Amino acid sequence: MSAYPNGWRASIRIARRDAWRFKGRSSLVLAMIALPIMGVSAVDITLRSSHLSTNENLTRQLGAADARLADGGGGPIYQGLDDNQYMSVDDKAPWTGKPTDIAAALPAGAKWLKDDSGSAKVNTEHGLLDVDVRELKAADPMARGIMTLKHGRFPAGDDEVAATTYFLEQSGLHVGSRLTVRNMDRRYTIIGEYELPSELKQAQLNARPGAFLAPLSEALARAGRSAPEASASYLVQFRGGFSWKMVEAANTKGVLVTSRQVKLHPPANSEVPLYVKYPTNATSYTSSNTQLLGAAATVGGLAMLEVCLLAGPAFAVGARRSRRQLGLVGANGGDRRHIRAIVLSGGLVIGAVAAVTGTALGLALALALRPWLEEFAGQRFGGFEARPLELAGIALLAVVTGLLAAVVPAVVASRESVLASLTGRRGVRRSSRVLPVLGLVAVALGVGIGVFGSAVTDNRYAVAGGSAIAELGVVALTPALVGLFGRVGKWLPLSPRLALRDAVRNRGRTAPAVAAVLAAVAGSVAVATYQSSSDQEARDGYTASMPYGAVLVTVGVDGIRELGRVRSAVEKDFPVTARADLGRIVVGKKTCDVWGFNAGCGIANPVTPKANKCPLDGSGQFTGAEARKWGKDWRCAGGAGSDPSSIRTDSGVLVGGDGVLRGLGIKDPAAEAALARGEVVSFDKRKVQGGRITLELIPDNSIVPPAGKELTGPKKSFPVYSAAAGTKSYGIDAVIPPAAAKAAGLRTVAYGSIFSTQRLPSSTERQKLDGALADLGVQASTYVEGGYVSGNSSLLLALSIFAGLVTIGAAAIATGLAQADAEPDLKTLAAVGAAPRVRRTLSGFQCGVVAAMGVLLGSAAGVVPAIGLRKSEQYLRMKYYRQALADGVTPELPHVPIVLPWGTLAALLFVVPLGAALLAALVTRSRTAMARRAVG
């Protein structure tokens, strides 16, 4: 009964001794298993620490208070258990716009702090900066936890403020600096630096209640300007907490409450009036984690597959180098079971050591990276939370992975004859003929499932599942594919030819490493391809409001007198190459602003002739086929005014000369000549009839016409030049020359300018301009067209780095194993006179060959699932498109591009193998000790 455990104890002692004797190989395997465990442990600890508990969230919102009372929008409200879930009791009641008297809802005997929030423009070292202002006694114990003081202290006087770290970084100011505010004579001293734990990238100032926002509002009122919007709330402490009944009482007074007691002990949905009256609003706080667990299991399974693919050859090499020892075990009565136990014990020993090492390193890594991750996420994590059971499960994963990686080498070693083991003969190694067939079947099956999922259905799970099966099939085909690579060796020089021949001859060692690289690269390429395609779709769908780099500055009626100085400021602070001045038509009072709906303010509308009106407008008497037919008619196509524009014109008509065309990026000499002749240039041919365009002057836009009627007014007709179809006018319908407008008796006023620039203005330049405009006291609107900005560049870089590191690591491990396995061959090379550098170059090429094969196969395998997912999206969108056509709507044809990430592929295909080869060559010793022939 005791033979079995005794046999395992002996096997473990033998495995521990071998691991200690061959420290290099053991360290490689240990690193392969420990590194993923380290990463998973660090991720687990980081995720647990970053997830704030309810108490931690409440501390950041309420400090030490029991509740926060805020304005619910006026009138009694129904409130749900989510702070943002509330609605008026009488949803038909008109909005009064009056603030709610929150103080009336404070319970008797409660302690409270007022928390007011607003905004202001403050002067910085670079110019002017918009900043949030919060008036709160932050030093009060009730507010402890809302703000974290880093340096100095919180304000104690009315001329003191504290600032967030982010504000100080953006403004160039520091603790002790004097702060000036636009439109205010009062100066403040920055006496403290703090941060908001959940909003590290928030530019905010903290002042005492009444010390900032009220003086700012008074100063703005004296200057004839409106004060920025402000909000108020109350932090409340009440003995016994703020119960749900108290929340309901406050709701009847129009007050929204965030209660600590309610958050920690929520009432049943049947006690919440909002959920009783509107059951669909009931929110379940127990969300399903099925998809998350599935994703985690998939990632964990792939990680184990990666480690097994890399660690398996290491155990195989170890078993091969211990053949004589294993043969002696067989010669002394040991059977195959004992040999399997010895090899498996090697996996158990190294797996156990890797579990302890990886978990310890994960703890250290999570601690070391925590400050950087907090800054990157923009919020502080909660307490350092390491859950023993989860870490134990992760550690157990290392032990299981070590055992699984040793299974195949153990079986192979146990099948070898005792005589072959004792004599050291390797014998003839034949590749399996079944594995390539299984691989081909898996590839065909996976591709078929993926094609079905993308072309016949919109099921992404089918695409993902088919892609996974196909990738496993490619992994199974790797030994055969490695053999095919060997055919190119005859065209290579000596060192790469030897490296490739060695890789092909020892496929048992090479194929798993290549497969590991393949799997890592395939995943990275798949994600990169999908993200690049989605990014290209967003780029194609982005509609610019101005030419790239163009700057538009406009002013209201009050700023017309200072417009010349505004233009000079822009030309001084921005890299301006050209300027085009704009004007606009004013109908009614000369004080009417853009989109003015005040009494006496009108609009000049371009008239669409009846013959040019879309038949679909205002009519629903068409069948789906008829609607599709008319939808293709030029009269029903979107005109220039349907494009987004940063130039806010109520009529879509600008007043200006040929410089306006150049500012809009329109190169049309005929259009410039037409403006010089006094003709209007139109970009919407629907507004043109008989070579003329008509403007209808609506005298008072504030009048509401009777039902079925439209406002009318006098009309002015102008000769017109129609720009070529497809001319990009950025939402502008027409440009009228100043002389033509004056001749027609139209009133025009200056509006702003379009500036062409050498390059996109920087953030510092923009702050300088804001400061200069603030000094002028002009309310000017500035828009800079920066074009489409991709948010995937950092992701693609991270994927490239990840795949590169895995590739270099796998190739380096395969190279180290190859050197350990082929040491006799290397010594033979040295014995026959090979130069010392041959060993170094051979090592480099061995590493490069493995990396190149894995990257090449992985890149090809990774593109397929991404294409499948994009095709699945296209199928779904075409389904909706056909449905819209059947309903009589003519939407745009779905655009689902497929774009390969050429930058990522180039880095993987060329840079990574070359880097792996150079790295291996650099770390390999050129000389080796000569070995003597064994006696006997």
Side-chain angles (χ1 to χ4, degrees):
M1 294 295 293
S2 60
Y4 186 72
N6 288 337
W8 271 101
R9 282 199 294 268
S11 300
I12 292 175
R13 287 200 302 269
I14 294 173
R16 179 174 56 82
R17 185 192 63 184
D18 285 349
W20 186 254
R21 286 179 60 191
F22 303 104
K23 298 182 183 66
R25 186 182 72 246
S26 300
S27 299
L28 284 175
V29 181
L30 178 67
M32 281 186 284
I33 300 177
L35 285 177
I37 298 302
M38 177 188 70
V40 175
S41 300
V43 168
D44 178 77
I45 296 170
T46 301
L47 289 178
R48 290 299 184 185
S49 301
S50 64
H51 180 72
L52 301 179
S53 66
T54 303
N55 264 324
E56 289 170 332
N57 265 318
L58 288 171
T59 298
R60 297 186 181 186
Q61 294 179 49
L62 309 179
D66 294 314
R68 179 185 292 275
L69 277 62
D71 190 345
I77 62 172
Y78 289 134
Q79 177 179 341
L81 300 180
D82 186 348
D83 294 342
N84 298 319
Q85 193 177 39
Y86 64 95
M87 62 190 306
S88 175
V89 172
D90 184 4
D91 53 2
K92 296 182 180 179
W95 181 68
T96 61
K98 297 179 180 179
T100 301
D101 185 7
I102 305 174
L106 294 173
K111 297 180 180 179
W112 54 269
L113 281 180
K114 194 175 183 185
D115 187 2
D116 292 334
S117 298
S119 62
K121 290 182 179 291
V122 299
N123 296 306
T124 68
E125 291 294 319
H126 310 301
L128 201 67
L129 183 65
D130 285 314
V131 61
D132 292 335
V133 180
R134 191 167 187 178
E135 293 184 345
L136 173 68
K137 290 182 181 179
D140 193 288
M142 192 187 303
R144 185 174 300 150
I146 297 177
M147 301 174 180
T148 303
L149 187 65
K150 298 182 68 176
H151 301 290
R153 58 180 174 82
F154 287 116
D158 289 347
D159 60 345
E160 296 176 339
V161 295
T164 59
T165 303
Y166 186 76
F167 170 80
L168 297 178
E169 293 172 352
Q170 294 296 306
S171 64
L173 302 176
H174 54 83
V175 175
S177 297
R178 299 286 287 174
L179 182 72
T180 58
V181 186
R182 180 182 177 183
N183 297 314
M184 283 183 68
D185 297 330
R186 178 183 295 188
R187 285 173 168 263
Y188 296 88
T189 301
I190 301 177
I191 48 82
E193 176 187 351
Y194 69 95
E195 67 181 18
L196 301 172
S198 293
E199 297 175 292
L200 298 180
K201 298 181 180 179
Q202 177 75 25
Q204 188 184 88
L205 296 175
N206 172 245
R208 287 179 57 82
F212 199 110
L213 295 176
L216 175 61
S217 298
E218 294 171 0
L220 290 172
R222 288 193 297 269
R225 303 180 184 278
S226 58
E229 293 185 3
S231 61
S233 63
Y234 286 80
L235 295 174
V236 181
Q237 276 186 342
F238 188 73
R239 179 175 296 181
F242 216 93
S243 66
W244 177 245
K245 293 295 184 183
M246 298 172 68
V247 171
E248 290 183 303
N251 291 161
T252 61
K253 299 177 182 180
V255 175
L256 182 66
V257 182
T258 300
S259 168
R260 185 186 301 273
Q261 186 180 115
V262 172
K263 289 290 186 182
L264 295 176
H265 308 286
N269 288 350
S270 59
E271 299 179 29
V272 181
L274 178 64
Y275 300 158
V276 173
K277 187 172 182 180
Y278 304 99
T280 56
N281 288 322
T283 303
S284 173
Y285 287 86
T286 57
S287 58
S288 173
N289 293 324
T290 303
Q291 293 183 349
L292 180 62
L293 292 175
T298 302
V299 172
L302 290 175
M304 290 183 64
L305 175 63
E306 286 276 318
V307 174
C308 291
L309 288 171
L310 289 171
F315 288 113
V317 171
R320 188 179 304 156
R321 299 191 67 173
S322 302
R323 295 173 72 206
R324 181 173 177 80
Q325 175 182 275
L326 297 176
L328 289 174
V329 171
N332 286 275
D335 57 18
R336 292 184 177 184
R337 181 184 59 181
H338 295 101
I339 294 176
R340 285 197 298 268
I342 292 173
V343 179
L344 286 174
S345 296
L348 180 63
V349 168
I350 293 182
V353 176
V356 176
T357 305
T359 304
L361 290 175
L363 285 165
L365 182 64
L367 278 172
L369 293 181
R370 177 169 175 149
W372 181 84
L373 290 173
E374 288 177 338
E375 293 293 335
F376 181 79
Q379 68 173 12
R380 296 295 177 201
F381 296 163
F384 188 79
E385 187 173 356
R387 300 193 177 186
L389 288 179
E390 293 181 0
L391 294 180
I394 296 171
L396 180 62
L397 183 66
V399 178
V400 173
T401 302
L403 284 172
L404 291 177
V407 167
V408 174
V411 173
V412 173
S414 66
R415 290 178 178 176
E416 192 164 357
S417 67
V418 174
L419 181 61
S421 298
L422 293 175
T423 57
R425 297 171 184 172
R426 296 190 179 184
V428 179
R429 305 174 187 176
R430 299 185 181 275
S431 300
S432 172
R433 296 182 180 180
V434 178
L435 193 61
V437 175
L438 294 176
L440 283 174
V441 172
V443 169
L445 179 62
V447 171
I449 294 175
V451 171
F452 176 80
S454 61
V456 181
T457 70
D458 56 355
N459 192 335
R460 291 191 175 190
Y461 294 105
V463 176
S467 301
I469 294 174
E471 186 171 328
L472 291 175
V474 175
V475 170
L477 282 171
T478 302
L481 295 175
V482 169
L484 293 178
F485 278 105
R487 298 186 179 183
V488 302
K490 56 185 178 182
W491 292 295
L492 298 177
L494 175 62
S495 292
R497 186 168 68 250
L498 288 176
L500 185 59
R501 186 192 66 177
D502 178 73
V504 174
R505 289 178 60 189
N506 297 277
R507 299 182 198 182
R509 176 200 342 119
T510 305
V514 172
V517 175
L518 183 155
V521 171
S524 299
V525 169
V527 176
T529 302
Y530 184 84
Q531 291 294 338
S532 296
S533 301
S534 300
D535 189 63
Q536 185 62 47
E537 180 183 348
R539 186 186 304 277
D540 294 341
Y542 175 78
T543 304
S545 299
M546 296 280 289
Y548 179 78
V551 179
L552 172 70
V553 177
T554 57
V555 297
V557 175
D558 296 337
I560 293 177
R561 292 184 179 180
E562 300 295 335
L563 186 54
R565 299 172 65 186
V566 170
R567 290 165 173 162
S568 299
V570 176
E571 291 173 332
K572 175 184 177 182
D573 295 326
F574 282 7
V576 175
T577 58
R579 188 187 90 192
D581 296 337
L582 309 175
R584 62 183 180 87
I585 299 172
V586 178
V587 179
K589 300 176 182 178
K590 64 179 181 181
T591 57
C592 294
D593 223 324
V594 179
W595 295 105
F597 289 93
N598 298 327
C601 292
I603 187 173
N605 275 332
V607 176
T608 302
K610 186 176 180 179
N612 293 353
K613 290 184 178 180
C614 176
L616 297 176
D617 291 345
S619 174
Q621 305 300 319
F622 294 95
T623 64
E626 291 172 335
R628 290 194 298 273
K629 173 187 174 183
W630 287 118
K632 299 177 182 178
D633 191 275
W634 66 272
R635 295 170 295 177
C636 298
S642 62
D643 293 335
S645 177
S646 58
I647 308 176
R648 297 178 64 249
T649 58
D650 44 16
S651 62
V653 178
L654 288 177
V655 179
D658 55 3
V660 175
L661 300 180
R662 291 191 291 271
L664 294 173
I666 300 172
K667 299 179 180 179
D668 189 344
E672 295 178 10
L675 288 175
R677 294 194 302 268
E679 297 179 3
V680 175
V681 174
S682 173
F683 305 105
D684 188 353
K685 65 178 182 179
R686 296 177 301 178
K687 303 292 193 295
V688 178
Q689 186 177 46
R692 301 188 70 85
I693 187 172
T694 300
L695 297 181
E696 185 173 15
L697 309 180
I698 309 298
D700 194 338
N701 208 30
S702 65
I703 299 176
V704 179
K709 301 290 185 180
E710 294 182 356
L711 295 177
T712 59
K715 298 178 180 179
K716 302 287 185 178
S717 179
F718 302 88
V720 67
Y721 168 82
S722 291
T727 300
K728 187 72 173 176
S729 64
Y730 300 99
I732 300 303
D733 281 334
V735 177
I736 181 171
K742 182 178 180 180
L746 298 178
R747 175 184 291 158
T748 62
V749 297
Y751 184 42
S753 297
I754 299 175
F755 300 88
S756 301
T757 59
Q758 294 177 345
R759 55 172 174 78
L760 201 64
S762 65
S763 175
T764 300
E765 290 170 333
R766 297 186 194 188
Q767 290 190 49
K768 288 182 178 179
L769 178 62
D770 289 342
L773 296 180
D775 292 339
L776 295 176
V778 180
Q779 291 279 11
S781 175
T782 305
Y783 175 80
V784 180
E785 177 55 61
Y788 174 76
V789 179
S790 172
N792 293 327
S793 56
S794 58
L795 175 63
L796 296 180
L797 177 61
L799 288 172
S800 300
I801 294 175
F802 165 74
L805 290 176
V806 172
T807 301
I808 291 175
I813 291 168
T815 302
L817 296 176
Q819 289 180 348
D821 194 27
E823 190 67 24
D825 296 336
L826 295 174
K827 291 177 179 179
T828 301
L829 281 175
V832 299
R837 63 180 176 82
V838 172
R839 177 185 177 93
R840 186 184 296 272
T841 55
L842 178 61
S843 176
F845 280 113
Q846 283 176 326
C847 190
V849 163
V850 172
M853 287 190 292
V855 167
L856 185 62
L857 294 175
S859 298
V863 171
V864 175
I867 294 177
L869 288 174
R870 294 296 289 174
K871 288 294 185 181
S872 177
E873 285 188 12
Q874 186 179 36
Y875 177 88
L876 181 61
R877 296 186 191 180
M878 287 299 298
K879 177 181 176 181
Y880 292 145
Y881 174 77
R882 288 189 290 267
Q883 181 62 44
L885 291 178
D887 294 338
V889 182
T890 310
E892 291 186 5
L893 188 68
H895 176 59
V896 186
I898 297 175
V899 177
L900 296 181
W902 294 112
T904 302
L905 290 176
L908 291 174
L909 290 171
F910 299 103
V911 178
V912 172
L914 181 60
L918 292 175
L919 183 63
L922 289 174
V923 300
T924 301
R925 291 180 299 176
S926 297
R927 298 182 181 275
T928 182
M930 295 298 295
R932 297 179 61 185
R933 181 183 296 272
V935 179

